[in-house]
Amino acid sequence: MQLHGVPLEIMSEWDTRFTSIFWARIQEAMGVKLKFSTAFHPQTDGQTERVNQILEDMLRACVLDFQESWDDCLQFFFFFLKWPTSTPFLLLCKEGRRRSSLLPAPSSPLMASVITVGGKGSSLSSSSVYSVATSVSRIKIDSSILEKLSQSHSKKSNSKSLSSLPPPSPSNPKTLTLEESRAALVVLLNKLLLTDPAVHPVLPALIEETLNRSFLPESLDFSSGSELLSSILKLNGKNVEEVGAVVEEIGVIDESFAVLIGIYALLDSNLSALVTVADAVAALSCEAAHADVTVFDLPVSGEGFSVKDETDVASDMKDLLFGSKYVGKVDSDAVSEIPMVHGSFRGAAKSVHARVRVELNSAVRRKTVCGGSGKGKALVAAVLPLAMSIRSLGECSVSRAKLGIRSIEDVDLQTCVVEVFEKSCPGVEVLRDGFRSVSEKAALELDFVDILHEVYELLIRLREILAWEAALALFVLDLNEPNEKGQVDALLNGGNANAARKNEKRKKKVLGKGTTVVRQLIKEKFHSNAGTSVDSSKVLVEWAEELSLFFNPKDPELDALLKKVKEIVESNEVRRLPKIPKGTRDFGKEQMAVRERAFSIIVEVFKRHGAVALDTPVFELRETLMGKYGEDSKLIYDLADQGGEICSLRYDLTVPFARYLAMYNINALKRYQIAKVYRRDNPSKGRYREFYQCDFDIAGQYDVMEPDFEVVKVLTELLDELSIGDYEIKLNHRKLLDGMLEICGVSSEKFRTVCSSIDKLDKQSFEQVKKELVEEKGLSVETAEKIGKFVKKRGPPLEILSDLKQVGSQFLENDGSVLVLNDLEILFRALEKSKCLNRVVFDLSLARGLDYYTGVIFEAVFRGGSTQVGSIAAGGRYDNLVGMFSGKQVPAVGVSLGIERVFTIMEEQVEKGKNQAIRATETQVLVVLVGKDLSLVAELVSELWNAKLKAEFAVTKRVMKQIDRAKQSGIPWMVIVGDSELEKGIANIKEVAVNNEVAVPREKVVEELQRRLDASSQSLSNRYVVV
């Protein structure tokens, strides 16, 4: 290097900004281009050996890459040996011919992290693939899987071993970039381990060895399984006999689609970072351009009429910009489009992530039906929306960058910045050309690997554009920062410095709480002195290059930015007032007292009839719930797909009960269950999206109407003992409905859908239902009118039954209806004898829209007072529901109490009570020790607890405050002990309601309290609603 005029050593007192510029200029003078950060300064013990190892690996790679001319390039490495403060770099020769990235060997000591594959319960992630692909991490096979492969392979005697591989194909070899090659090998390795029966353990170990060494991408040929295996063997100096490869392994390689999935993983890893980066950068641009950010005030619809990704982006932008004084009133499409464009990008990223999670961790399916073409079509089809969203986001980013440039007041500087930006930043045409190429190749079904490669390249261009947008936003914000110039001028001119300082403070603007943190984290990456005023646009190029490297997921410091942005958007700064989802409720202490009282009554009634408790999961497999609720299936809450089983929140407790019977082969069971269910319904008074149901069911073979009678009787007992007031139970029979529809001329395939319309008669007039039957369900007007004549029949059960069975009744001409009428007579007679038939109304309009009902159906409706809550309980017979799961029919009948509506009635009744108050606590005694000795009160209150008395305690000197507490909480008795009482060995027992106090010996306190509580329990219940 001395022969070329380069000094042996350079000593400088200049800062890092000078150093970074100096290295760039000296590389330019030598005809090479630097593509790395110069911030690697090993200055601690042991670092020299690491750097020497890296340089040794680089020299080896140089020999392989430059081959015949490697000695001509040796001068570069002599230079860097003299200057060990440099990091590995990318060499570009003067002719511009592309050279391979001279990455450090993964075996280098710098590679601290290790990715283990093949372990029990382990899964491969996109970030792991990217980490190994970029040589940030080493790969390691779990020893247990290698042992398993060895044992499995030794047992196979019919596998056909390969003595040699087919000769190389005359067609062009399929080579990838180094990142793509390494990603494909990681995926292939995992696929081989997942598909263990067909794999010899030597092959995975060979791929592991390949990944943990340096190699050139041209060394591997991915055109076919045999070509890839041949190139791997050649790279490692092995032959087929040494590896022991078999024909099945070639098939696994061919059908693994490792290249496609590997590029997919690279896409996913970059997307997960850029989704967050794009939002953070856009927020900075909004401040730089003084943009109008009211466009982010998007309403969130609970009815599904808003796009979640768009509203989430808008919400995140508001959090990032919260408190900003830089945002203004500049209106621009580039800003107003952020929720839609970024939301589309976020949605596409989620789609890619969901697909790649499955593809990375699924075993190879041999002799697959779809083949390579089918897999390629599926992956390309999933990635096309991403390509479109990349283009849209890039165009939006460029527009925001230009918007920021226009806010620069200095015309000359603005012109200079425009020239630098247009010259160096990838333009919109680059994105459009890339998307056009992807679309055309996808339409012609050309090379799918090439399509995914182009999408990945498109994403890299987007990263560069975002880096430029961020650099420009920071540049403009630095220009707008207030300085001390005004104060200095005031001092020089004899003015008032304090006044000037106050004036500057008033004028000073602040960034948003989120963008302040983002700006600080990003500017820490700059090697230039970011604290000085920016006076030259040349720094933009350097900033953009450094930010492009910073936004690369392999930069370890990027994770800090991503985590910080996540913290900001989850801090809920904008939405200070918390709220609950639509259709849900919070319950305070008084409301919980009412609920606990109701639950205790309900459980007591259920147990009185011999029912046992049962519980089932709050969510079920979606397939378990679908097809059971008719048109109401649209109200089922589906859970987001997490890459596993598709689940939904339970709609009721009946279907899970039927699934339970079928799953455990139970033929008879009388059970009760009190639990929450979920329905995506329109909330109204007494109607919620999350609510409790109290179910009582009898399953098994019984005599006609035996369990049906008991279920209806249980319902009357529940409503009577809950004391809600007047109610009626409407009752009908599904088979009677079917007979009625058959008589009216309705075809059997329309029975269920017509029943759904009839079921609306409690909320709509018959004219409205008739219109739906004719216009939507396809019935004739004559048929609808016939139905209307029947559904208007309602009244006392035995009277309506007699009317339907009289001579000339059309029901007597229908065989199914005759049997039903006879069964209903048995039921009505039994209810009459049990003295609850007066609560039942025989109503032919009752249909119950759920598909699984097969016999008696009933519904309880509240009729008392002004409270309108609709149906409060319902049920019926469902003989075929269990058979839907197991094929074995287990008849069952049950009732479900809609307890939320009952609570609404009970709470309003309590509010109207003049002489009653709700006690939220069951506390009987409040023990008060006047003083500070906790041990004394602990002794006394423990005696009460041991005697099963409900007691609280307080150690205080403010007795009156505790008396007020007892009055407000409805605590009937107090025990007060002070210094004088302690000396005398007594305690004062105070009856709070009458303010009467009596002293009793200390040892008699528990006995006296028990006596007084027994005597006063009746009067207490008259004053309070006691749980």
Side-chain angles (χ1 to χ4, degrees):
M1 298 304 292
Q2 299 176 59
L3 299 177
H4 291 271
V6 178
L8 287 175
E9 295 184 3
I10 301 176
M11 304 295 292
S12 173
E13 296 178 353
W14 289 63
D15 61 9
T16 54
R17 181 179 180 182
F18 165 80
T19 306
S20 63
I21 296 174
F22 170 77
W23 285 120
R25 295 294 182 267
I26 197 169
Q27 296 298 320
E28 182 179 336
M30 293 181 64
V32 296
K33 189 174 181 181
L34 208 58
K35 284 286 187 179
F36 66 95
S37 169
T38 56
F40 182 67
H41 303 290
Q43 296 170 347
T44 59
D45 293 340
Q47 293 294 334
T48 303
E49 290 78 4
R50 296 187 181 187
V51 176
N52 289 341
Q53 179 63 51
I54 293 175
L55 292 173
E56 181 182 335
D57 293 332
M58 290 171 57
L59 182 58
R60 184 181 295 109
C62 180
V63 173
L64 291 173
D65 191 20
F66 292 93
Q67 295 182 1
E68 300 298 331
S69 61
W70 71 269
D71 53 334
D72 295 333
C73 302
L74 195 58
Q75 54 183 319
F76 302 142
F77 294 94
F78 284 150
F79 176 81
F80 283 97
L81 281 171
K82 279 289 184 182
W83 289 96
T85 58
S86 301
T87 55
F89 57 94
L90 177 69
L91 285 175
L92 297 179
C93 67
K94 291 183 180 180
E95 294 79 11
R97 188 168 63 90
R98 181 181 178 184
R99 292 299 186 188
S100 303
S101 178
L102 303 181
L103 296 170
S107 58
S108 168
L110 289 175
M111 302 301 176
S113 62
V114 176
I115 306 297
T116 303
V117 293
K120 185 177 180 181
S122 65
S123 61
L124 188 64
S125 66
S126 297
S127 59
S128 296
V129 174
Y130 190 79
S131 184
V132 176
T134 55
S135 295
V136 173
S137 299
R138 298 174 62 246
I139 195 82
K140 180 183 178 182
I141 302 175
D142 189 90
S143 57
S144 61
I145 190 66
L146 288 177
E147 183 178 351
K148 180 181 177 182
L149 289 175
S150 298
Q151 294 173 356
S152 175
H153 200 271
S154 63
K155 295 177 181 179
K156 294 190 298 180
S157 57
N158 58 347
S159 299
K160 182 180 178 181
S161 298
L162 293 173
S163 58
S164 63
L165 290 170
S169 173
S171 60
N172 294 328
K174 183 68 178 178
T175 58
L176 310 172
T177 66
L178 186 59
E179 273 187 12
E180 293 168 349
S181 298
R182 294 179 61 83
L185 286 181
V186 176
V187 173
L188 176 59
L189 175 59
N190 198 51
K191 294 286 184 181
L192 289 170
L193 298 178
L194 290 172
T195 319
D196 57 272
V199 176
H200 192 285
V202 177
L203 182 55
L206 189 63
I207 296 177
E208 177 191 24
E209 183 181 344
T210 303
L211 282 168
N212 290 334
R213 61 171 292 174
S214 298
F215 64 88
L216 297 175
E218 294 84 357
S219 305
L220 298 180
D221 182 2
F222 288 89
S223 57
S224 67
S226 59
E227 296 290 352
L228 177 59
L229 181 57
S230 176
S231 58
I232 291 175
L233 293 173
K234 182 180 178 181
L235 181 63
N236 290 278
K238 305 284 185 180
N239 56 49
V240 178
E241 291 80 4
E242 292 179 85
V243 176
V246 295
V247 175
E248 287 86 348
E249 292 170 335
I250 301 295
V252 172
I253 296 173
D254 280 329
E255 296 171 17
S256 67
F257 312 107
V259 176
L260 292 173
I261 299 171
I263 301 176
Y264 234 67
L266 296 178
L267 275 170
D268 181 43
S269 184
N270 279 269
L271 282 170
S272 60
L274 287 184
V275 163
T276 303
V277 167
D279 292 346
V281 171
L284 289 172
S285 290
C286 288
E287 292 183 309
H290 306 290
D292 179 7
V293 296
T294 57
V295 294
F296 301 137
D297 296 328
L298 294 185
V300 180
S301 170
E303 311 300 330
F305 299 128
S306 59
V307 181
K308 185 177 184 303
D309 287 325
E310 294 181 9
T311 54
D312 285 350
V313 168
S315 176
D316 292 349
M317 294 297 293
K318 289 166 66 178
D319 285 325
L320 288 166
L321 294 167
F322 180 71
S324 174
K325 301 301 182 182
Y326 271 87
V327 294
K329 297 183 179 180
V330 177
D331 188 16
S332 171
D333 291 341
V335 175
S336 61
E337 290 175 355
I338 288 176
M340 291 172 285
V341 174
H342 287 233
S344 174
F345 184 64
R346 185 177 292 195
K350 288 180 181 178
S351 177
V352 169
H353 179 70
R355 182 68 188 239
V356 79
R357 284 183 73 245
V358 176
E359 296 292 351
L360 284 176
N361 297 288
S362 58
V364 174
R365 292 184 296 174
R366 302 304 312 279
K367 298 180 181 179
T368 179
V369 177
C370 66
S373 178
K375 176 71 73 173
K377 289 178 181 178
L379 293 176
V380 169
V383 86
L384 282 178
L386 172 64
M388 182 62 198
S389 66
I390 290 173
R391 170 191 161 176
S392 301
L393 181 58
E395 291 175 349
C396 192
S397 178
V398 170
S399 298
R400 288 195 300 267
K402 293 180 177 178
L403 187 66
I405 294 174
R406 287 199 292 271
S407 67
I408 299 175
E409 297 179 357
D410 188 321
V411 178
D412 294 335
L413 180 58
Q414 182 184 118
T415 304
C416 180
V417 170
V418 169
E419 292 177 358
V420 172
F421 176 69
E422 292 180 349
K423 178 182 178 182
S424 305
C425 178
V428 171
E429 288 304 319
V430 174
L431 297 173
R432 292 174 180 172
D433 292 342
F435 177 70
R436 188 181 302 111
S437 176
V438 169
S439 302
E440 290 174 354
K441 289 181 178 179
L444 297 174
E445 295 185 6
L446 299 178
D447 189 344
F448 295 128
V449 172
D450 195 34
I451 294 173
L452 292 183
H453 168 76
E454 290 197 15
V455 175
Y456 185 48
E457 289 293 322
L458 205 60
L459 189 65
I460 302 305
R461 299 289 82 74
L462 173 63
R463 188 169 72 199
E464 294 172 1
I465 291 173
L466 290 173
W468 268 99
E469 181 189 356
L472 280 166
L474 295 172
F475 182 86
V476 174
L477 289 172
D478 279 0
L479 288 176
N480 293 333
E481 273 191 340
N483 52 47
E484 304 298 322
K485 184 176 183 299
Q487 297 181 36
V488 174
D489 289 344
L491 287 171
L492 292 175
N493 296 322
N496 190 328
N498 291 330
R501 198 178 297 110
K502 290 180 180 180
N503 187 48
E504 283 295 324
K505 189 173 181 180
R506 283 195 298 268
K507 291 181 179 180
K508 185 176 181 179
K509 295 182 178 180
V510 293
L511 296 175
K513 289 188 176 180
T515 47
T516 299
V517 177
V518 171
R519 182 190 185 198
Q520 179 182 355
L521 287 173
I522 291 179
K523 293 197 73 174
E524 286 177 356
K525 291 293 296 181
F526 296 157
H527 295 292
S528 58
N529 189 352
T532 61
S533 178
V534 177
D535 56 3
S536 173
S537 61
K538 294 180 181 180
V539 77
L540 276 173
V541 177
E542 180 186 346
W543 283 10
E545 289 178 353
E546 292 187 3
L547 287 176
S548 182
L549 294 173
F550 178 44
F551 293 161
N552 190 325
K554 73 178 182 180
D555 190 318
E557 295 182 25
L558 176 62
D559 191 50
L561 174 64
L562 301 180
K563 287 181 178 179
K564 184 58 67 173
V565 173
K566 183 180 179 182
E567 288 176 11
I568 293 167
V569 299
E570 290 179 353
S571 64
N572 206 22
E573 287 281 358
V574 177
R575 303 174 294 277
R576 280 292 185 183
L577 294 177
K579 64 178 183 177
I580 58 176
K582 188 176 181 181
T584 61
R585 298 177 70 187
D586 287 323
F587 297 96
K589 56 185 182 180
E590 292 83 7
Q591 293 168 311
M592 285 304 300
V594 175
R595 295 169 74 85
E596 288 179 356
R597 173 173 172 263
F599 282 140
S600 64
I601 293 172
I602 294 167
V603 171
E604 197 279 327
V605 171
F606 287 161
K607 289 185 175 181
R608 185 189 307 158
H609 287 262
V612 296
L614 181 70
D615 194 20
T616 55
V618 73
F619 55 89
E620 297 271 352
L621 293 176
R622 191 169 187 271
E623 62 193 39
T624 299
L625 303 181
M626 297 309 295
K628 313 297 190 306
Y629 305 106
E631 294 182 0
D632 284 348
S633 293
K634 62 188 178 186
L635 302 181
I636 294 175
Y637 268 110
D638 292 329
L639 299 180
D641 179 16
Q642 302 295 331
E645 297 171 322
I646 308 301
C647 298
S648 300
L649 295 178
R650 60 189 175 200
Y651 179 87
D652 65 5
L653 301 178
T654 305
V655 171
F657 174 57
R659 188 265 308 154
Y660 175 83
L661 294 175
M663 186 173 174
Y664 296 99
N665 196 26
I666 298 173
N667 297 320
L669 182 65
K670 184 185 290 186
R671 83 86 162 89
Y672 76 88
Q673 183 176 358
I674 300 176
K676 288 183 177 181
V677 297
Y678 300 85
R679 298 181 184 177
R680 195 165 50 83
D681 208 346
N682 289 322
S684 59
K685 188 170 186 178
R687 183 187 293 269
Y688 301 95
R689 291 179 169 179
E690 178 194 57
F691 56 94
Y692 274 97
Q693 278 191 344
C694 305
D695 277 25
F696 176 89
D697 293 83
I698 303 174
Q701 295 287 348
Y702 295 89
D703 287 341
V704 176
M705 291 296 167
E706 180 182 335
D708 305 72
F709 155 72
E710 184 173 8
V711 168
V712 175
K713 176 60 176 167
V714 165
L715 177 56
T716 60
E717 290 179 15
L718 285 174
L719 299 180
D720 288 340
E721 295 187 28
L722 287 170
S723 303
I724 63 170
D726 190 22
Y727 67 89
E728 69 176 21
I729 300 174
K730 298 189 292 184
L731 188 144
N732 200 358
H733 199 290
R734 256 298 169 79
K735 291 181 179 178
L736 191 64
L737 268 174
D738 293 346
M740 179 190 75
L741 295 178
E742 186 178 341
I743 292 169
C744 294
V746 179
S747 57
S748 59
E749 64 269 13
K750 290 186 177 181
F751 280 2
R752 296 286 78 84
T753 184
V754 171
C755 282
S756 296
S757 297
I758 294 174
D759 193 44
K760 299 176 183 177
L761 283 169
D762 61 336
K763 307 179 188 71
Q764 301 177 6
S765 66
F766 178 72
E767 289 303 318
Q768 292 174 302
V769 173
K770 175 183 173 182
K771 183 179 180 181
E772 180 178 318
L773 290 172
V774 174
E775 296 181 0
E776 297 182 21
K777 304 300 172 68
L779 300 186
S780 64
V781 175
E782 182 182 359
T783 300
E785 290 176 348
K786 286 182 180 179
I787 293 173
K789 292 179 181 178
F790 284 115
V791 297
K792 292 176 182 177
K793 290 182 178 291
R794 73 184 307 272
L798 292 176
E799 290 182 17
I800 299 297
L801 183 66
S802 176
D803 181 52
L804 297 178
K805 294 180 70 174
Q806 68 181 356
V807 178
S809 172
Q810 291 178 288
F811 285 99
L812 297 180
E813 300 174 3
N814 186 282
D815 294 337
S817 298
V818 172
L819 293 174
V820 170
L821 292 173
N822 292 333
D823 291 346
L824 286 175
E825 185 171 5
I826 296 172
L827 175 62
F828 294 155
R829 296 298 181 188
L831 292 172
E832 184 180 33
K833 292 295 184 181
S834 67
K835 303 188 185 315
C836 62
L837 187 62
N838 61 311
R839 293 292 195 180
V840 180
V841 174
F842 194 178
D843 190 341
L844 291 185
S845 70
L846 180 66
R848 301 294 296 152
L850 304 182
D851 279 0
Y852 54 68
Y853 286 127
T854 58
V856 170
I857 52 176
F858 47 87
E859 183 177 275
V861 180
F862 177 64
R863 296 296 186 196
S866 59
T867 305
Q868 299 296 322
V869 294
S871 172
I872 54 178
R877 174 164 287 279
Y878 49 97
D879 290 345
N880 301 328
L881 186 56
V882 178
M884 291 183 180
F885 298 107
S886 65
K888 178 182 178 181
Q889 300 298 338
V890 179
V893 61
V895 62
S896 179
L897 180 66
I899 193 65
E900 301 297 340
R901 297 182 180 184
V902 174
F903 290 152
T904 300
I905 298 169
M906 295 177 69
E907 288 166 5
E908 291 195 5
Q909 288 177 340
V910 170
E911 288 177 6
K912 292 178 182 179
K914 302 293 185 181
N915 60 340
Q916 285 190 328
I918 299 175
R919 281 197 65 196
T921 175
E922 298 183 22
T923 305
Q924 297 168 306
V925 184
L926 176 61
V927 181
V928 179
L929 177 71
V930 183
K932 295 183 178 181
D933 195 339
L934 176 62
S935 62
L936 292 175
V937 75
E939 179 184 13
L940 179 54
V941 76
S942 294
E943 292 177 11
L944 301 182
W945 289 334
N946 293 336
K948 309 305 179 187
L949 298 181
K950 299 170 183 176
E952 296 181 56
F953 70 91
V955 181
T956 181
K957 292 183 178 180
R958 303 175 64 181
V959 179
M960 288 306 301
K961 184 176 181 180
Q962 299 304 318
I963 294 175
D964 292 339
R965 170 188 171 186
K967 289 179 179 179
Q968 292 172 2
S969 301
I971 301 174
W973 298 94
M974 294 180 68
V975 176
I976 304 173
V977 180
D979 293 337
S980 60
E981 286 80 10
L982 289 172
E983 291 177 2
K984 298 175 183 178
I986 63 173
N988 291 325
I989 297 179
K990 182 182 184 67
E991 188 175 4
V992 177
V994 296
N995 198 28
N996 184 29
E997 191 172 312
V998 61
V1000 298
R1002 168 67 179 78
E1003 64 275 7
K1004 298 288 187 179
V1005 170
V1006 176
E1007 180 183 342
E1008 183 66 19
L1009 280 171
Q1010 287 177 324
R1011 186 184 67 79
R1012 289 173 178 267
L1013 284 168
D1014 292 339
S1016 64
S1017 59
Q1018 183 60 44
S1019 61
L1020 181 67
S1021 63
N1022 292 334
R1023 291 196 302 270
Y1024 296 97
V1025 177
V1026 183
V1027 180

